[in-house]
Amino acid sequence: MAALLTTLKLMPDLRRYQSSSPPHSTMAAAPVAEIRPLSFMETLDPFVSLYRPPEASSSSSSKSTLQQPQLIIVASWTGARDVHIAKYLVKYQAMYPAAQILLLKSTMNHMIRPSLIGHSMKHAASVVREVFQQTPVPLSSGPRLLIHIFSNGGSSSIANLYEQYAAMAGRNEEKRLPPHVTVFDSCPGVYSISRAVAFLTVGLSSFQQLVAAPIFYALAAVLSALMALGLLPDPLRDWGKAHNDTGNTAEVRRVYIYSRRDALIDYKAVEAHAAEAKTKGFSVALEKYQGSAHVAHLRKDEGRYWEIVRRIVEGPEVVI
């Protein structure tokens, strides 16, 4: 068991090696200017960044501005590259120019050792409290907080944000996040052996997958047995429960964007989570894509994707 866990913990190093190893060449590589797709973000923590809009945008008092989110939290999927995250953030800047954007990143280490997430989420929780203490939400406006969750990596970040936000509440302060809407993209999932292996082998070459698959299947089977016996926690289950815990959130409405083709997240698990949420009184919408892969629904139909987001933010409450 120790050997299997050691192998799993080495996976981030294997992936960093795979992505950083230069192609074979007999010529020296020419210097290339560093590209920083998220250069407009202020780094608060290695995994937490904040965008503050220009004063001209944030100080506007027009009706359209009052209907915009005051803060957008983007909780990215595990190992997401900055260039991919930037596509979502730049679009949000265009859609809601007065909004601040809080980015929460997830790494493989966070998934292996969920206890590592809490420190970063303390920084995130402080930002949320500061934003809404400085500018109280007008009574006539809709939800001023948008949470956009990607995959189980983003799910873990937000589940931990609930905890940290509540933990830092003062005697007369609200323990729940401010009223908000939530977009679940390719999540939440539940643990299964085949999908655990699929997750671990993302980004590996065919040869690496062939070598690693027997080890990963053995590890996934052992972890499954230990969780079934109650000897190990099941973080995916716990994160899913957190999103449906009415004691943690003041959510106004939510939407799930998902696909049957997703190799990492079972669409039936998404639908089951949505059904449970509805029974607990959440306002729920399901948007099922056809043929799109994990966290690739935007690429499949970008127009539809952003219209879904716009409706959940600006429109009336929706139900299944």
Side-chain angles (χ1 to χ4, degrees):
M1 180 64 185
L4 293 176
L5 288 173
T6 300
T7 302
L8 179 55
K9 291 179 180 180
L10 289 174
M11 282 303 300
D13 297 324
L14 174 61
R15 292 187 187 186
R16 281 195 293 271
Y17 174 81
Q18 179 188 7
S19 61
S20 62
S21 298
H24 295 291
S25 173
T26 56
M27 300 178 62
V32 178
E34 181 183 7
I35 299 175
R36 299 180 61 232
L38 300 179
S39 59
F40 54 88
M41 304 290 291
E42 175 189 355
T43 300
L44 307 180
D45 173 274
F47 310 108
V48 179
S49 301
L50 178 66
Y51 164 75
R52 294 183 175 93
E55 188 66 26
S57 297
S58 59
S59 62
S60 173
S61 59
S62 67
K63 180 179 179 181
S64 60
T65 299
L66 290 176
Q67 292 174 339
Q68 295 185 26
Q70 197 167 324
L71 176 66
I72 300 170
I73 301 177
V74 175
S76 69
W77 61 97
T78 303
R81 295 174 59 194
D82 287 356
V83 66
H84 295 149
I85 297 172
K87 293 179 181 179
Y88 295 89
L89 304 193
V90 170
K91 180 63 176 182
Y92 271 132
Q93 288 175 321
M95 290 177 68
Y96 304 116
Q100 298 187 54
I101 303 175
L102 182 64
L103 171 63
L104 314 178
K105 289 186 174 182
S106 172
T107 69
M108 180 67 80
N109 273 342
H110 288 156
M111 301 302 287
I112 298 170
R113 300 172 61 193
S115 60
L116 297 176
I117 305 172
H119 177 74
S120 294
M121 292 309 104
K122 288 181 181 178
H123 293 283
S126 296
V127 170
V128 178
R129 287 202 176 273
E130 179 183 352
V131 167
F132 289 98
Q133 285 174 351
Q134 289 180 347
T135 311
V137 178
L139 294 176
S140 59
S141 71
R144 303 303 301 279
L145 173 62
L146 164 62
I147 301 176
H148 198 147
I149 305 174
F150 292 91
S151 190
N152 286 325
S155 178
S156 68
S157 296
I158 297 302
N160 277 270
L161 178 61
Y162 299 149
E163 295 181 6
Q164 297 301 330
Y165 190 86
M168 67 171 48
R171 175 175 296 182
N172 298 318
E173 290 184 319
E174 177 63 67
K175 291 187 176 183
R176 302 182 302 170
L177 292 176
H180 61 275
V181 295
T182 309
V183 178
F184 290 89
D185 183 322
S186 307
C187 66
V190 296
Y191 186 86
S192 76
I193 294 174
S194 61
R195 293 181 190 277
V197 173
F199 168 74
L200 292 171
T201 55
V202 168
L204 299 184
S205 67
S206 298
F207 175 74
Q208 289 171 327
Q209 290 186 32
L210 182 64
V211 172
I215 299 173
F216 287 155
Y217 269 105
L219 171 62
V222 170
L223 293 179
S224 179
L226 292 175
M227 286 188 288
L229 293 171
L231 300 177
L232 278 181
D234 183 346
L236 297 185
R237 179 198 60 199
D238 295 340
W239 299 332
K241 285 184 176 180
H243 300 309
N244 281 349
D245 183 349
T246 55
N248 282 342
T249 66
E251 187 181 83
V252 176
R253 53 185 171 263
R254 66 173 62 177
V255 62
Y256 297 83
I257 305 175
Y258 67 110
S259 168
R260 180 191 291 263
R261 186 187 164 195
D262 193 328
L264 302 186
I265 303 294
D266 187 348
Y267 77 97
K268 293 180 181 177
V270 174
E271 292 176 346
H273 193 269
E276 179 189 60
K278 188 179 179 183
T279 65
K280 293 188 174 184
F282 290 92
S283 178
V284 178
L286 287 168
E287 291 286 348
K288 189 176 183 179
Y289 269 65
Q290 299 297 326
S292 51
H294 188 65
V295 295
H297 313 306
L298 176 70
R299 190 164 60 220
K300 180 70 174 181
D301 190 337
E302 184 171 352
R304 177 188 175 191
Y305 192 96
W306 290 115
E307 178 60 20
I308 291 169
V309 172
R310 187 198 65 76
R311 287 202 314 267
I312 206 68
V313 173
E314 303 172 24
E317 292 191 11
V318 290
V319 296
I320 293 177

